[in-house]
């Protein structure tokens, strides 16, 4: 068994050691700021590096090329095991935090979900809040590299679905000929946007540390904040506009940003059809919900209503999950609509969650195609994305993905309801977690945390976050008996 999975164990060990090395950043910050959390990081770094080194050392003489089947296992192990090590500083430092809640928090961090079980964030040590948001930033980049460079090689991911049939920046399954060059290019863009976001937040009124930590969350589309009231703590229109702008950038395919930077041109944005749908749908939703809320008199005027509606529409649609007001006070339709946006609006190749806009558009066009077939049975109907025809095998793959996506939501919701959780909380928690959005409704709404859930319910939501981040199939394929046969 060890020989069979030696490449997986070897690479996993290296990644765990590297992850332990990243903990030296908050460890150093803890020592410099003397926030009292350094002992937790000392232990966490030691355990993480030791385990990673032991794994790599145990198979050092059995190295070979990794097969595609083993890649599924590696990707799943990375996203399920790294949070266990990321949870260590939280578990070791925060009194009364159970291992279940610590692991949930770390999974939420690395998958860039933003659902939290913690309160009293304003009083946590700086290094702990740094580590929480830093995990967003690490995970956000990991999500982008996973979506753009790795999942296409395994046959999954929104970008891989159209391959050469799609024009513009979506055309190739890799931006540059080599995977390492792809990752480097994405890393450069990611860092540039993060620095720009942090500087803009600081200029808008945040302290340097708040600006940096919120920039980590925004560019990773995570949603962890250093304040219990999230962005509502700052009550600043200027800060909200900065967050809105960079959340929109983070919700667009990073391949597009990379090409725009490499070519010093805005043309890649004009060619990215998915981005046009992304921005257009958000604009229409924001206007429609503003008009819907006006008669209720929740806010004083049209502009104030539009301010809060637009912010939360973008925040939840991109799966950022920041809040500036308790939208649980809105009519239920409006709450469900902005939660629903997180199911499909974000672009493929971004850190956003859900089925991705590219799939949603193609599904809509397939429905229209079937309606036309019903009226004109002998007509030749095709589905187009941009100027390219979508082949039938891509349509079948998308339909299969949508089916398992819906089944996952229904099954996990029923499982939570069976534990006596009310249906609104259960449904919204599953949708928010599987879409990596963060806040749900009712007991897990924007003004509360997931700490109200039992351990079992928390594990269900943890599984939903991992399912959503790995686009479901990557995890489910490991449950098939055929996967484990030689």
């Amino acid at each position: 068994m060890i020989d069979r999975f030696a490449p997986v164990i070897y690479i996993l060990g290296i990644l765990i050691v590297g992850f332990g090395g990243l903990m030296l950043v908050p460890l150093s910050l803890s020592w410099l700021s003397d926030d009292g959390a350094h002992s937790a990081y000392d232990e966490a770094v030691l355990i993480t590096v030791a385990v990673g080194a032991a794994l790599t050392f145990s198979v050092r003489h059995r190295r070979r090329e990794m097969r595609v089947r083993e890649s599924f296992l590696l990707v799943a192990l990375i996203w399920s095991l790294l949070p266990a090590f990321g949870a260590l500083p939280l578990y070791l430092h925060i009194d009364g935090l159970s291992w279940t809640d610590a692991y949930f928090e770390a999974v939420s961090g690395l998958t860039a979900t933003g659902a939290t079980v913690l309160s009293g964030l304003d009083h946590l040590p700086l290094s702990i809040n740094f580590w929480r948001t830093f995990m967003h930033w690490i995970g956000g980049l990991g999500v982008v590299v996973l979506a753009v460079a790795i999942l296409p090689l395994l046959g999954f991911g929104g970008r891989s679905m159209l391959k050469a049939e799609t024009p513009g920046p979506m055309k190739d399954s890799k931006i540059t000929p080599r995977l390492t060059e792809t990752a480097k290019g994405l890393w450069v863009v990611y860092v540039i946007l993060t620095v720009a976001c942090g500087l803009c937040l600081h200029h808008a009124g945040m302290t340097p540390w708040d600006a940096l930590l919120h920039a980590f969350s925004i560019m990773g589309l995570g949603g962890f904040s250093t304040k219990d009231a999230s962005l509502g703590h700052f009550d600043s229109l200027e800060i909200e506009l900065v967050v809105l702008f960079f959340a929109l950038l983070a919700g667009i395919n990073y391949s597009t940003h990379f090409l725009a930077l490499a070519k010093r041109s805005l043309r890649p944005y004009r060619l990215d059809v998915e981005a046009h749908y992304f921005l257009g749908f958000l604009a229409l939703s924001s206007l429609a919900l503003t008009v819907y809320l006006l008669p209720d008199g929740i806010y004083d005027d049209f502009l104030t209503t539009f301010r809060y509606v637009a912010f939360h529409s973008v925040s939840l649609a991109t799966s950022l999950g920041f809040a500036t007001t308790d939208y649980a006070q809105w009519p239920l339709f409006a709450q469900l609509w902005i939660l629903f946006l997180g199911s499909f609006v974000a672009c493929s190749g971004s850190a956003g969650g859900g089925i991705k806009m590219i799939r949603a558009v193609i599904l809509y066009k397939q429905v229209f195609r079937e309606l036309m077939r019903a009226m004109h049975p002998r007509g030749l109907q095709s589905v187009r994305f941009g100027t390219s025809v979508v082949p039938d095998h891509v349509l079948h793959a998308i339909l299969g993905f949508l089916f398992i996506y819906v089944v996952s939501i229904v099954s996990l919701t029923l499982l939570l309801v069976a534990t006596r959780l009310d249906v609104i909380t259960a449904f919204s928690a599953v949708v928010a977690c599987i879409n990596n959005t963060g806040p749900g409704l009712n007991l897990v709404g924007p003004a509360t945390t997931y700490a109200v859930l039992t351990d079992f319910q928390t594990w269900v939501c943890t599984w939903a976050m991992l399912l959503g981040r790995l686009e479901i199939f990557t995890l489910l394929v490991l449950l098939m008996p055929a996967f484990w046969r030689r």
Side-chain angles (χ1 to χ4, degrees), residues 77 86 171 191 268 273 312 345 350 362 389 407 411 464:
L77 286 175
K171 185 176 180 64
V191 170
V273 178
H312 291 90
V345 170
S350 74
I362 292 173
V389 176
V407 167
S411 301

Side-chain angles (χ1 to χ4, degrees), residues 291-326:
V291 173
Y292 178 78
L293 287 182
L294 276 176
D296 292 275
I298 299 173
Y299 304 108
D300 296 334
D301 51 46
F302 177 86
L303 288 179
T304 304
T305 306
F306 183 74
R307 168 188 174 180
Y308 289 112
V309 167
F311 182 87
H312 291 90
S313 294
V314 172
S315 181
L316 269 72
T318 59
S319 80
L320 173 58
F322 276 149
T324 57
T325 187
D326 185 7

Side-chain angles (χ1 to χ4, degrees), residues 436-453:
N436 304 114
T437 303
L441 304 176
N442 210 356
L443 297 181
V444 292
T448 57
T449 72
Y450 281 70
V452 298
L453 303 181

Side-chain angles (χ1 to χ4, degrees), residues 130-430:
F130 179 93
W131 180 238
R132 293 172 67 245
T133 57
F134 192 50
M135 282 195 289
H136 272 338
W137 195 71
I138 297 166
L141 179 59
V143 166
V144 171
V145 173
L146 179 75
V148 173
I150 297 175
L151 285 185
L153 302 180
L154 304 183
F156 295 136
R159 295 187 71 261
S160 66
M161 289 197 163
L162 298 189
K163 296 183 181 177
E165 288 82 11
T166 305
M170 304 280 286
K171 185 176 180 64
D172 234 323
S173 61
K174 291 185 287 186
I175 310 169
T176 54
R178 298 182 59 186
L179 182 62
T180 53
E181 293 302 314
T182 299
K184 287 177 184 177
L186 294 171
W187 185 85
V188 170
V189 173
Y190 195 67
V191 170
I192 289 173
L193 290 177
T194 303
V195 171
C197 181
L199 291 174
C200 289
L201 288 172
H202 179 49
H203 183 266
M206 282 190 180
T207 65
W209 279 118
D210 278 336
L212 175 64
L213 271 55
H214 283 87
F216 285 159
S217 284
I218 293 165
M219 297 320 301
L221 290 178
F224 279 162
S225 177
T226 58
K227 312 296 180 184
D228 280 330
S230 191
L231 284 187
H233 170 88
F234 302 97
D235 192 23
S236 166
L237 177 59
E238 192 174 356
I239 287 176
E240 290 171 30
L241 290 174
V242 171
V243 173
L244 204 66
F245 176 73
F246 281 96
L248 288 172
L249 287 181
I252 294 174
N253 194 325
Y254 271 85
S255 305
T256 305
H257 298 315
F258 174 82
L259 291 174
L261 180 66
K263 297 180 179 180
R264 306 293 192 274
S265 169
L266 295 178
R267 191 165 183 268
Y269 295 106
R270 294 198 299 271
L271 293 176
D272 191 347
V273 178
E274 188 181 21
H276 300 168
Y277 282 104
F278 166 72
L279 296 172
F281 201 91
L282 280 175
L284 287 174
S285 289
S286 297
L287 285 171
L289 282 179
T290 299
V291 173
Y292 178 78
L293 287 182
L294 276 176
D296 292 275
I298 299 173
Y299 304 108
D300 296 334
D301 51 46
F302 177 86
L303 288 179
T304 304
T305 306
F306 183 74
R307 168 188 174 180
Y308 289 112
V309 167
F311 182 87
H312 291 90
S313 294
V314 172
S315 181
L316 269 72
T318 59
S319 80
L320 173 58
F322 276 149
T324 57
T325 187
D326 185 7
Y327 55 79
Q329 304 305 313
W330 297 358
L332 184 59
F333 169 79
Q335 297 178 51
L336 289 172
W337 182 254
I338 61 172
L339 186 69
F340 172 65
L341 290 177
S343 297
F344 68 92
V345 170
C347 296
S348 58
S350 74
I355 68 173
K356 304 297 189 297
M357 180 57 79
I358 190 171
R359 290 191 181 105
V361 172
I362 292 173
L363 284 168
Y364 163 77
K365 293 190 173 187
Q366 171 63 9
V367 170
F368 184 77
R369 177 197 195 186
E370 293 303 322
L371 291 175
M372 293 300 294
R373 275 181 172 175
M375 293 186 291
H376 308 286
R378 296 184 179 181
L380 295 176
Q381 306 293 335
S382 61
V383 173
R384 292 179 175 271
F385 190 82
T387 59
S388 298
V389 176
V390 181
D392 284 342
H393 73 272
V394 172
L395 293 172
H396 297 156
I398 293 176
L399 288 170
F401 178 84
L402 179 66
F403 175 76
I404 197 65
Y405 172 81
V406 172
V407 167
S408 297
I409 290 177
V410 172
S411 301
L412 295 176
T413 298
L414 290 175
L415 190 58
L416 288 180
V417 171
T419 64
R420 305 296 191 271
L421 196 63
D422 72 275
V423 68
I424 296 295
T425 300
F427 174 74
S428 66
V430 170

